[in-house]
């Protein structure tokens, strides 16, 4: 009887252990459960401002993103001007990882979200702008369609490759990262391409050499929109020596 009772008790215990749900000891991947909820909260875009969209993707370079972002975002601290709403757009809701390793949650997914009107489109450089990114037809279509209504389209460093591949630089002058001028000319032999300049302005398009000079190209656009006094204030706020007359750039309209 004792043996039977022991067997019965053991069976119940083992059966209970096997039927009980096993608790997972794995930690959830950071952001997996809350990312979509976070993405539902779009930035507060104030009326009466320019809407400035930054096209980001995996491998985007920090400087070409943050330099113009800082300049444009700081317009909100200037009085009596039409300041800028700055936000990021990507082709996914998941984190974008910059080339240097910063993780960014995009403000909008341009493939799924209803986007605000984009007055200025900024295309920073990214790791694969000379190869695989140029095969992203949906991204190129987004750039092409956005450029039709935008006041300005700006690229930094190899972002010019994206503009060129989308077809919007046809008949326009442009530039890119100095070390990639040869590749740019080889890939787009019918374009007018300038070297040894920090940036080129032709029509609504401003293409810059990138890097730290992304600050200068962005201040240039601010001087166009707001005048020298405001551009000087923006530069001073970021401790940048700003003198447009001392820069080597090209404005096709002035040629």
């Amino acid at each position: 009887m004792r043996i039977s009772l022991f067997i019965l008790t053991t069976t119940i215990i083992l059966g209970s252990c096997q039927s009980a749900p096993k608790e997972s000891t794995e930690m959830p991947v950071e952001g997996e459960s809350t990312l979509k909820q976070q993405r539902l909260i779009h930035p507060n875009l104030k009326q009466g401002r320019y809407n400035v969209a930054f096209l980001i993707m995996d491998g985007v370079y920090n400087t070409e993103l943050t330099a113009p972002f800082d300049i444009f975002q700081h317009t909100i601290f200037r009085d009596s001007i039409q300041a800028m709403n700055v936000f990021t757009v990507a082709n996914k809701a998941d984190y974008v990882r910059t080339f240097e390793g910063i993780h960014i949650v995009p403000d909008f997914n341009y493939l799924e979200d209803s986007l605000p009107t984009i007055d200025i489109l900024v295309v920073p450089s990214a790791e694969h702008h000379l190869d695989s990114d140029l095969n992203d037809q949906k991204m190129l279509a987004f750039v092409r369609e956005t450029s039709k209504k935008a006041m300005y389209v700006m690229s930094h460093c190899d972002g010019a490759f994206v503009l060129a591949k989308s077809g919007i630089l046809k008949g326009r002058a442009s530039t890119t990262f100095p070390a990639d001028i040869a590749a740019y000319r080889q890939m787009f032999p019918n374009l007018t391409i300038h070297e040894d300049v920090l940036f080129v302005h032709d029509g609504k398009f401003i293409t810059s050499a990138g890097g730290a000079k992304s600050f200068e190209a962005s201040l240039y656009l601010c001087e166009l929109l707001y005048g020298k006094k405001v551009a000087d204030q923006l530069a001073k706020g970021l401790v940048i020596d700003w003198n447009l007359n001392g820069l080597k750039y090209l404005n096709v309209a002035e040629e």
Side-chain angles (χ1 to χ4, degrees), residues 113-128:
D113 294 335
S114 177
L115 299 179
T117 299
I118 295 174
D119 301 303
I120 300 170
L121 176 64
V122 183
V123 182
S125 182
E127 180 182 9
H128 294 291

Side-chain angles (χ1 to χ4, degrees), residues 19-92:
S19 61
K22 183 180 180 181
E23 291 185 5
S24 174
T25 58
E26 295 181 0
M27 294 295 291
V29 176
E30 183 180 356
E32 266 189 352
S33 61
T34 60
L35 183 58
K36 289 188 178 297
Q37 293 176 333
Q38 292 177 24
R39 286 277 291 102
L40 293 176
I41 306 174
H42 296 311
N44 180 22
L45 305 182
K46 294 189 177 181
Q47 296 294 322
R49 292 182 177 181
Y50 296 114
N51 286 333
V52 184
F54 285 76
L55 177 61
I56 63 173
M57 60 200 69
D58 287 324
V60 64
Y61 290 104
N62 287 354
T63 304
E64 281 83 17
L65 169 61
T66 60
F69 198 101
D70 283 354
I71 294 291
F72 296 155
Q73 192 275 338
H74 277 65
T75 61
I76 66 174
F77 303 116
R78 307 273 69 85
D79 295 329
S80 305
I81 67 170
Q82 183 178 347
M84 298 181 178
N85 293 315
V86 293
F87 53 90
T88 56
V89 297
N91 63 357
K92 60 180 182 178

Side-chain angles (χ1 to χ4, degrees), residues 118-185:
I118 295 174
D119 301 303
I120 300 170
L121 176 64
V122 183
V123 182
S125 182
E127 180 182 9
H128 294 291
H129 272 2
L130 273 68
D131 44 74
S132 57
D133 287 339
L134 300 183
N135 297 321
D136 187 342
Q137 296 303 317
K138 291 182 179 179
M139 183 265 287
L140 296 175
F142 168 75
V143 171
R144 196 159 42 241
E145 291 304 309
T146 302
S147 72
K148 292 178 181 179
K149 296 182 180 180
M151 295 172 51
Y152 290 100
V153 178
M154 171 177 277
S155 69
H156 297 281
C157 190
D158 292 334
F161 282 77
V162 172
L163 303 192
K165 186 66 174 182
S166 73
I168 62 178
L169 291 183
K170 183 178 180 180
R172 299 291 184 180
S174 64
T175 193
T176 190
F177 184 62
D180 291 332
I181 288 287
Y184 193 43
R185 285 178 169 154

